[in-house]
Amino acid sequence: MSAAGDWEANSPERLYVITGGRSGSSVPATLDLVTLIVAKSGPRHGMQPEHAAIIRLCQSPLSVAEISAYTGLPVSVVTVLLSDLLRDEQVMARAPVQAARLPDRALIEAVIDGLQKL
């Protein structure tokens, strides 16, 4: 490393600075890879660049995994940043739509049996 500004993109030092040394969420919300995030407004003046980038990305819903991929930051770092944005009510988080529940197997077999008798 030749100068303080020449950090590698994902060096541990840079990631430590981005998260303020935190490794966990600052809000009780549980964020997993498929949690959808959407911004409530645009970035504010003076906001940390990584927070602003996430808000710009999330003008339409994106999953935590997608945000990580687009920003090039590890999921753990994105989770810390998102918890900051959730605490400040800059973004909303919601679980993805759950998969539809399949009907009972016995019901499906009864329908198939009925159709075969036609």
Side-chain angles (χ1 to χ4, degrees):
M1 193 171 353
S2 61
D6 293 337
W7 289 353
E8 293 179 26
N10 285 324
S11 70
E13 297 88 3
R14 178 176 175 267
L15 299 176
Y16 182 85
V17 170
I18 289 171
T19 62
R22 295 169 294 140
S23 62
S25 176
S26 60
V27 294
T30 55
L31 298 172
D32 57 21
L33 292 175
V34 295
T35 300
L36 296 175
I37 306 292
V38 65
K40 290 184 172 183
S41 63
R44 294 185 316 219
H45 180 70
M47 184 177 263
Q48 182 177 335
E50 293 79 12
H51 286 140
I54 290 171
I55 288 178
R56 281 192 295 276
L57 282 171
C58 294
Q59 293 304 307
S60 58
L62 286 177
S63 70
V64 172
E66 290 171 311
I67 296 167
S68 175
Y70 288 135
T71 60
L73 295 170
V75 172
S76 59
V77 172
V78 169
T79 302
V80 171
L81 297 173
L82 287 172
S83 71
D84 295 343
L85 294 170
L86 284 165
R87 181 195 63 227
D88 296 340
E89 298 183 354
Q90 294 289 306
V91 297
M92 293 185 314
R94 72 172 172 88
V97 176
Q98 294 182 355
R101 235 181 98 159
L102 294 175
D104 183 36
R105 182 178 177 97
L107 175 63
I108 293 173
E109 289 173 353
V111 169
I112 290 171
D113 186 49
L115 290 172
Q116 289 174 343
K117 289 181 180 178
L118 288 176

